Amino acid sequence: MSSPTTSSSAAPAPSPLEVALLASVFVIAACGLVYELAAGALASYLLGDSVLQFSTVIGAYLFAMGVGSYLSRYFVRQLPAHFLRIELLVALIGGALPALLFVAYAYVPGAFRGLLYGLVMLVGVLVGLEIPLVMRMLKRNVALKDLVSQVLTFDYLGALAVSLAFPLVLVPQLGLIRTGLLFGLMNASVALWALWLYRHELRRFKAHALACAATLSVLSAGMLGANHITTWAEDKLYQDRVVFASTTPYQRIVVTHGPGEGRAGYRLFLNGNLQFAQRDEYRYHEALVHPAMAAFNPSGAGPKRVAVLGGGDGMAVREILKYPSVESVTLVELDPAMTTLFSQNPVLASLNGQALSSPKVKVVNTDAFSWLETTPEVFDVLIVDFPDPTNFSIGKLYTHSFYALLDKHLSASGYAVIQTTSPLVARKSFWTVVQTIESVGLSATPYHTHVPSFGEWGFVIASRRPFRQPTVLPPGLRYLNLQTLPLLFDFPLDMNRVPAEVNRLSNQVLVTTYEEEWGRVAK
């Protein structure tokens, strides 16, 4: 009597149809997550507060997916035809989503939020319809326990692949608009695949084939014209001609140029926020650097070791190098694209006087918070020139914890100076920074100046000893002099100190306060 073989109990190999549909699940999950991430990233770039934008976009998207899953129960017959139509709609709407939002923000900014959440909800509903339909199509050939595990496995694998590729490869290499269109093409390819797989079941095969061809043509044309779309929108958004634009893993960098007399010349924008204008940046950078640098003069010796945190454009470094006593400048800038641009682009490097190419300057591309935690170095002057606290990732650089680290790296007579938004527009935000600096035991000396491109702007000098105003300034300055310098430290009534909380990592009150105060101006 022969023994039974185990082959009869082995699970049958998946059919080509099953493999095709499971591969489609992988692509569907990847595409759906890309559209969600693209919407969140664009909202963060254009509206600020990345935590709020990503949270609300993800919440709206997941809710819409639930609505789509519920609605799938009403699709009873001709499932392949319904699936094909839904794929084409997702391909068109999801693929065009970044481009539509970007153009809308440039031309009809008041409608941006409504369009953002409208498109997110629409794509979410469509994506929510896809997976239930695929599962019901697979149910014909696969047992329920295997069906659920297989579909969810491929769904999660697709999400994992995109969550890694989106910030590391897709956005840096393709940008948001091309990334959206590429994944729209992938959705359309799934529809084309379904067209072929179910060609014998589709009643209106020619109409479906034409719809697939039209969708692929529109998305392909969008891919070819992506640069024109971006330039067209950014020229409108920034008013002046865009001469450089790049999306990095950290931010969107845009440089514009306005020709003609009285125009701003070159201007730098990070995530849509103005960082400097060529015509008046010297006012900002002289006010940022020289009060602290010129005041450091123990025993008649000027500052020797200086660090700049942020300020990857090199303008602050340019001002620091006006002091012969300086032996080394360490520039800590998170985004290497910034320091590369302002050291290698001839026009932009000329704006900072080729400061980043000085043998005295060492560039470190890393997170300033982490760098302060690990470096043993101590500095005579620390220049802190971060963007305003528009989100929590930047807000951590304005916290009690950060200033406690800053204190450890100041020499006994050292000064740190922090750019601190507008004391007129964002009065409570400004004094929150002062309160936070004082909470670590440092003396805080606030001051302000007028920069036409920004309006009234504020700074704070932090030190272990009371600040004494300088008696000498370096030659060749265009704005500051010893007679007007004391006026910077005088605050009129509408900018005087108001009660404020300490900004801590655990609460980040500054980000909320900043958004509220600047939000009132935007309205």
Side-chain angles (χ1 to χ4, degrees):
M1 185 176 178
S2 60
S3 60
T5 63
T6 59
S7 60
S8 61
S9 60
S15 68
L17 177 62
E18 292 171 42
V19 173
L21 287 173
L22 289 172
S24 299
V25 170
F26 180 92
V27 174
I28 288 167
C31 293
L33 185 58
V34 160
Y35 306 142
E36 181 182 0
L37 291 173
L42 258 174
S44 298
Y45 285 174
L46 301 175
L47 301 178
D49 194 349
S50 58
V51 173
L52 173 65
Q53 305 309 330
F54 270 102
S55 295
T56 54
V57 165
I58 289 171
Y61 184 81
L62 291 176
F63 170 75
M65 284 184 66
V67 172
S69 296
Y70 176 81
L71 293 177
S72 68
R73 65 192 298 181
Y74 297 107
F75 292 79
V76 180
R77 300 177 181 175
Q78 285 289 300
L79 294 185
H82 290 312
F83 176 72
L84 194 151
R85 294 187 193 102
I86 290 167
E87 279 300 297
L88 292 178
L89 284 172
V90 174
L92 276 174
I93 300 169
L97 183 145
L100 289 172
L101 289 176
F102 199 44
V103 171
Y105 188 81
Y107 284 85
V108 281
F112 178 80
R113 287 182 188 270
L115 185 63
L116 167 68
Y117 290 104
L119 288 174
V120 166
M121 293 285 286
L122 181 56
V123 172
V125 168
L126 293 171
V127 172
L129 285 167
E130 290 174 310
I131 300 299
L133 291 182
V134 169
M135 292 180 72
R136 287 162 64 187
M137 289 157 64
L138 277 167
K139 191 179 177 183
R140 305 172 185 176
N141 306 317
V142 184
L144 181 62
K145 65 179 181 66
D146 296 326
L147 171 64
V148 173
S149 65
Q150 288 175 359
V151 168
L152 291 182
T153 296
F154 278 84
D155 184 40
Y156 296 148
L157 285 174
L160 172 64
V162 160
S163 66
L164 296 174
F166 186 82
L168 300 177
V169 179
L170 295 171
V171 174
Q173 298 299 321
L174 298 176
L176 281 172
I177 290 179
R178 272 212 176 98
T179 296
L181 290 165
L182 172 65
F183 278 78
L185 284 167
M186 291 172 66
N187 262 130
S189 298
V190 169
L192 194 63
W193 200 346
L195 177 72
W196 183 80
L197 288 173
Y198 291 98
R199 59 193 182 278
H200 301 301
E201 296 184 37
L202 295 170
R203 294 175 181 173
R204 302 175 62 192
F205 179 83
K206 288 185 178 179
H208 289 305
L210 285 172
C212 286
T215 302
L216 287 166
S217 299
V218 169
L219 293 170
S220 298
M223 281 289 284
L224 293 173
N227 283 342
H228 295 293
I229 296 171
T230 304
T231 302
W232 179 51
E234 286 187 330
D235 282 347
K236 174 68 175 179
L237 181 63
Y238 297 109
Q239 298 179 340
D240 294 329
R241 183 172 59 91
V242 174
V243 295
F244 176 85
S246 175
T247 300
T248 77
Y250 307 103
Q251 58 200 343
R252 176 72 174 170
I253 303 171
V254 174
V255 178
T256 67
H257 184 254
E261 222 176 291
R263 301 298 291 274
Y266 289 96
R267 296 196 294 176
L268 170 68
F269 296 84
L270 299 181
N271 293 343
N273 298 309
L274 179 65
Q275 302 303 303
F276 75 75
Q278 182 184 357
R279 69 179 174 190
D280 56 19
E281 59 80 15
Y282 66 92
R283 294 175 68 100
Y284 172 90
H285 290 103
E286 287 186 13
L288 171 70
V289 170
H290 295 297
M293 285 289 291
F296 184 89
N297 197 30
S299 306
K304 294 181 179 180
R305 296 172 58 80
V306 183
V308 180
L309 310 183
D313 53 43
M315 306 298 183
V317 176
R318 176 196 66 202
E319 299 301 316
I320 291 166
L321 292 175
K322 292 178 180 178
Y323 292 81
S325 63
V326 171
E327 296 175 355
S328 67
V329 183
T330 303
L331 173 62
V332 183
E333 163 63 45
L334 176 63
D335 193 346
M338 276 288 293
T339 49
T340 299
L341 177 64
F342 281 88
S343 61
Q344 296 184 7
N345 182 291
V347 173
L348 298 178
S350 69
L351 298 182
N352 61 41
Q354 287 77 38
L356 299 185
S357 300
S358 168
K360 293 183 179 181
V361 176
K362 178 176 73 172
V363 175
V364 180
N365 292 123
T366 189
D367 176 72
F369 202 114
S370 302
W371 182 77
L372 286 176
E373 287 181 314
T374 56
T375 186
E377 296 182 81
V378 173
F379 299 93
D380 297 326
V381 178
L382 277 158
I383 308 291
V384 183
D385 191 20
F386 298 130
D388 276 8
T390 54
N391 58 58
F392 292 111
S393 61
I394 300 175
K396 74 176 184 179
L397 303 172
Y398 290 81
T399 58
H400 173 96
S401 301
F402 182 80
Y403 296 136
L405 283 173
L406 209 63
D407 181 26
K408 293 179 181 179
H409 296 282
L410 274 179
S411 63
S413 301
Y415 292 115
V417 58
I418 298 105
Q419 90 78 17
T420 319
T421 196
S422 171
L424 181 63
V425 175
R427 186 176 178 183
K428 189 174 181 180
S429 299
F430 179 86
W431 292 105
T432 296
V433 176
V434 174
Q435 183 75 23
T436 305
I437 291 169
E438 291 175 341
S439 73
V440 302
L442 290 169
S443 173
T445 306
Y447 64 103
H448 63 98
T449 193
H450 184 75
V451 182
S453 293
F454 297 111
E456 205 65 35
W457 212 256
F459 311 87
V460 183
I461 292 173
S463 57
R464 297 198 180 104
R465 302 174 182 177
F467 174 74
R468 293 184 179 179
Q469 291 192 31
T471 57
V472 178
L473 288 170
L477 301 188
R478 300 171 61 190
Y479 172 52
L480 290 182
N481 61 45
L482 292 176
Q483 289 71 42
T484 58
L485 184 62
L487 300 177
L488 275 60
F489 296 84
D490 180 45
F491 280 77
L493 291 176
D494 58 354
M495 293 193 293
N496 262 347
R497 188 160 190 163
V498 292
E501 292 182 59
V502 174
N503 187 46
R504 301 182 185 276
L505 282 173
S506 57
N507 61 28
Q508 291 262 25
V509 295
L510 178 61
V511 174
T512 305
T513 304
Y514 178 90
E515 288 293 326
E516 288 174 354
E517 292 184 312
W518 280 98
R520 288 197 291 268
V521 176
K523 292 175 184 177

